[in-house]
């Protein structure tokens, strides 16, 4: 029984320590900085138990923004297709029927938006960090994102307003959509030496199998 428990315990421990290393990439976009939401965003990620492992403040270069949004070669086409559908759903004529052309237009709008002021670049680590941060951030369009999420609680923009004014939707934050995307984006924005490996005291209560060392 004891042997089973210890073997079983070890497996869980290995799994937990592996999961706790998952990393994701976040940008507090220029509107997030201008709305004085840096502290609020960091607080929400900290209080769920995630660990900040990289942080930089800068005005991004347009070329870097283009690289960021085209890391996935399919992204332009996917966004273009989605945008065309959303124009049609609103009864509007899209500026083009070609998804790539619309994708290019979206990238141009994003370059203007993302280089308009300083942003906060962050790397966060912890179990399910990619999924948890996406959940806390909420859906892409603030108008329809859930109450309680950052985009749902702190801003009001819509595709309708953004498309009408020919600009990017102002949704405060970028967060990686998958572990693969996170790996690519972290490599694009951070040098290996900028990401810090360290232990947080609270990780004991989050991940330790035995919870030993608490009682005196
Ligand atoms: P995210 O991962 O939730 O940020 O969303 P995506 O990766 O799908 O899109 C990134 C950015 O592209 C968004 O923040 C928007 O600025 C833009 N975008 C995405 N989908 C659409 C769309 O359907 N219409 C328009 N106009 N812009 C979009
Ligand atoms: Mg995305």
């Amino acid at each position: 029984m004891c042997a089973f428990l210890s073997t079983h315990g070890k497996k869980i421990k290995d799994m937990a320590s592996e999961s706790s290393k998952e990393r994701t990439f976040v940008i507090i976009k220029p509107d997030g900085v201008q709305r004085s939401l840096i502290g609020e965003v960091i607080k929400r990620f900290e209080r769920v138990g995630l660990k900040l492992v990289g942080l930089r403040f800068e005005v991004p270069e347009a070329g870097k923004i283009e690289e960021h949004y085209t890391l996935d070669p399919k992204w332009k086409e996917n966004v273009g297709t989605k945008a065309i559908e959303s124009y049609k759903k609103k009864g509007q004529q899209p500026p083009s029927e070609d998804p790539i052309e619309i994708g290019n237009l979206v990238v141009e709008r994003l370059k203007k938006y993302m280089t308009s002021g300083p942003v906060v670049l962050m790397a966060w680590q912890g179990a399910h960090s990619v999924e948890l941060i996406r959940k806390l951030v909420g859906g892409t369009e603030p108008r329809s994102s859930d109450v309680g999420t950052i985009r749902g609680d702190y801003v009001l923009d819509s595709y309708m307003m953004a498309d009408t004014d020919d600009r990017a939707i102002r949704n405060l934050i970028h967060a990686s959509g998958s572990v693969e995307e996170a790996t690519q984006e972290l490599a694009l924005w951070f040098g290996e030496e900028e990401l810090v490996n360290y232990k947080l005291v609270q990780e004991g209560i989050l991940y330790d199998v035995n919870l030993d060392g608490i009682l005196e």
Side-chain angles (χ1 to χ4, degrees), residues 29 69 75 79 81-84 86-87 106 109-110 113 134 137-141 151 159 162-163 167-171 173-177 181:
K29 296 179 177 180
Y69 283 107
W75 185 85
V79 167
T81 306
K82 214 166 68 162
I84 289 170
S86 102
Y87 273 109
V106 171
R109 290 173 178 173
L110 281 165
Y113 167 41
R134 291 283 285 197
V137 166
T140 310
E141 186 197 35
R151 285 165 171 168
Y159 286 133
D163 288 342
R167 61 167 174 78
I169 194 155
R170 292 175 190 154
N171 59 7
I173 290 192
H174 162 79
S176 308
E181 204 174 282

Side-chain angles (χ1 to χ4, degrees), residues 14-25:
D14 288 350
M15 207 170 78
S17 79
E18 218 27 65
S19 304
S20 71
K21 293 193 169 72
E22 183 176 307
R23 285 179 171 174
T24 191
F25 177 66

